[in-house]
């Protein structure tokens, strides 16, 4: 009996150590990437780097002000489009789980989530860019919004499915209209998972380059007009990293670090918001 117990304890310790080792191994590539980007990009970042425009070829210095503002605007407008539609779609799927429309919608969302980003850019190019006869930040936001939708829809649906049905039944029993039950009881209770999905969607599109090549296109000048071409951090990194100039390579490393810090900041904000609005059952 003692030998059997010792054997089982030894096997448990072995598999526990194996799981820990594999978990550490999974984090090694991420840590190496972070260290490399920090090493290459940290020395390139300063105040002038953030507020100045890129310099012409042959001139040293310059910054990424146009790309920084452009990325913020493109992602902001994409979020304005995708978040309301995605949350409403997730609510519908969670409230109508077995209807034919819900099943087809769920299948469409899954297929859309697996669609390559470059295909999304080409589609929006023919839908928006060609009819408007110009590249624009608006078309880039639409492409990114379509990419955000599947993540927001499914995260909202799965979060709301985890909530007990008694919450909705209690609200309806007290005489609240159905829409108030959803908006004032169900959504606040699931805000943690919904916000996590929203931030995951924003982080997913923050570094996308392919859709913007066909839509926003890029702009070497400072622009806030969403109906005109606009620069963004992923486009700047792509163009400068593939160039033949060392100064542009330095700008690309600095922009890559800014993009990395941006995603990190979004995750920290999400943790703070979800902790504040978390509902305990």
């Amino acid at each position: 009996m003692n030998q059997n117990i010792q054997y089982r304890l030894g096997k448990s310790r072995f598999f526990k150590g194996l799981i820990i080792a594999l978990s550490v191994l999974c984090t090694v590539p991420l840590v190496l990437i972070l260290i490399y980007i920090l090493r290459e990009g940290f020395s390139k970042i300063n105040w002038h780097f953030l507020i100045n425009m890129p310099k012409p070829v042959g001139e040293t210095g310059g910054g990424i002000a146009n790309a920084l503002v452009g990325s913020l605007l493109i992602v902001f407008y994409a979020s304005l489009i995708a978040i309301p539609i995605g949350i409403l779609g997730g609510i519908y799927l969670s409230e109508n789980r077995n209807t034919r429309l819900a099943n087809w919608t769920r299948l469409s969302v899954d297929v859309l989530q697996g669609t390559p980003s470059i295909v999304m850019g080409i589609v929006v190019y023919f839908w928006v860019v060609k009819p408007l006869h110009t590249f624009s930040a608006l078309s880039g936001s639409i492409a990114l919004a379509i990419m955000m939708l599947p993540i927001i829809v499914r995260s909202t649906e799965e979060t709301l499915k985890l909530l007990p049905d008694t919450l909705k039944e209690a609200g309806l029993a007290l005489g609240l209209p159905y829409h108030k039950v959803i908006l004032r009881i169900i959504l606040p209770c699931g805000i943690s998972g919904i916000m996590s999905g929203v931030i995951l969607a924003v982080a997913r599109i923050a570094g996308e380059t392919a859709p913007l090549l066909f839509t926003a296109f890029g702009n070497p000048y400072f622009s806030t007009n969403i109906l005109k071409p606009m620069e963004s951090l992923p486009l700047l990194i792509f163009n400068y990293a593939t160039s033949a100039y060392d100064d542009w390579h330095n700008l690309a490393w600095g922009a890559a670090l800014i993009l990395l810090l941006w995603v990190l900041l979004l995750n920290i904000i999400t943790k703070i918001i979800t902790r504040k609005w978390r509902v305990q059952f």
Side-chain angles (χ1 to χ4, degrees), residues 153-261:
V153 170
R154 293 313 300 266
S155 63
T156 302
E157 178 191 5
E158 296 302 323
T159 298
L160 298 184
K161 280 183 178 179
L162 296 175
L163 300 179
D165 293 334
T166 52
L167 285 173
K168 183 171 63 176
E169 294 170 356
L172 295 173
L174 292 174
L176 286 176
Y178 179 77
H179 69 280
K180 289 188 177 180
V181 172
I182 296 298
L183 294 177
R184 297 187 178 182
I185 298 177
I186 302 301
L187 284 182
C189 290
I191 191 65
S192 175
I194 294 173
M195 287 298 299
S196 297
V198 169
I199 296 301
L200 179 62
V202 173
R204 167 74 173 82
I205 66 168
E208 283 295 337
T209 306
L212 300 182
L213 287 171
F214 295 95
T215 53
F217 191 70
N219 191 342
Y221 305 102
F222 189 89
S223 174
T224 57
N225 188 348
I226 64 171
L227 299 179
K228 297 296 182 181
M230 187 177 293
E231 188 65 277
S232 64
L233 286 176
L235 285 176
L236 183 142
I237 294 171
F238 173 78
N239 291 326
Y240 283 14
T242 55
S243 70
Y245 309 106
D246 291 336
D247 289 336
W248 283 15
H249 293 167
N250 294 334
L251 287 176
W253 281 117
L257 180 57
I258 292 295
L259 193 59
L260 179 67
L261 295 177

Side-chain angles (χ1 to χ4, degrees), residues 46-60:
N46 52 56
W47 180 247
H48 297 286
F49 177 79
L50 298 176
I51 64 173
N52 287 338
M53 297 288 293
K55 296 288 186 180
V57 177
E59 296 187 19
T60 59

Side-chain angles (χ1 to χ4, degrees), residues 3-117:
Q3 290 181 347
N4 186 31
I5 294 175
Q6 292 297 327
Y7 170 75
R8 294 172 64 183
L9 289 176
K11 186 168 67 173
S12 176
R13 285 191 291 266
F14 169 76
F15 280 104
K16 182 179 179 180
L18 180 63
I19 291 173
I20 294 174
L22 292 176
S23 300
V24 173
L25 186 62
C26 290
T27 63
V28 169
L30 176 62
V31 173
L32 293 177
I33 292 173
L34 292 176
I35 292 175
Y36 191 79
I37 294 177
L38 285 171
R39 186 183 66 185
E40 295 292 333
F42 187 77
S43 61
K44 314 299 188 302
I45 296 178
N46 52 56
W47 180 247
H48 297 286
F49 177 79
L50 298 176
I51 64 173
N52 287 338
M53 297 288 293
K55 296 288 186 180
V57 177
E59 296 187 19
T60 59
I64 59 169
N66 59 336
L68 190 59
V69 174
S71 285
L72 291 173
L73 289 177
I74 292 174
V75 171
F76 173 74
Y77 288 116
S79 300
L80 284 183
I81 298 171
I83 291 175
I85 298 175
I87 292 177
L88 291 175
I91 292 173
Y92 174 80
L93 293 180
S94 67
E95 294 294 315
N96 304 272
R97 302 179 185 181
N98 299 318
T99 63
R100 181 176 299 180
L101 178 59
N103 291 332
W104 281 106
T105 302
R106 197 173 290 110
L107 175 63
S108 301
V109 168
D110 291 339
V111 173
L112 186 62
Q113 188 167 8
T115 303
S117 59

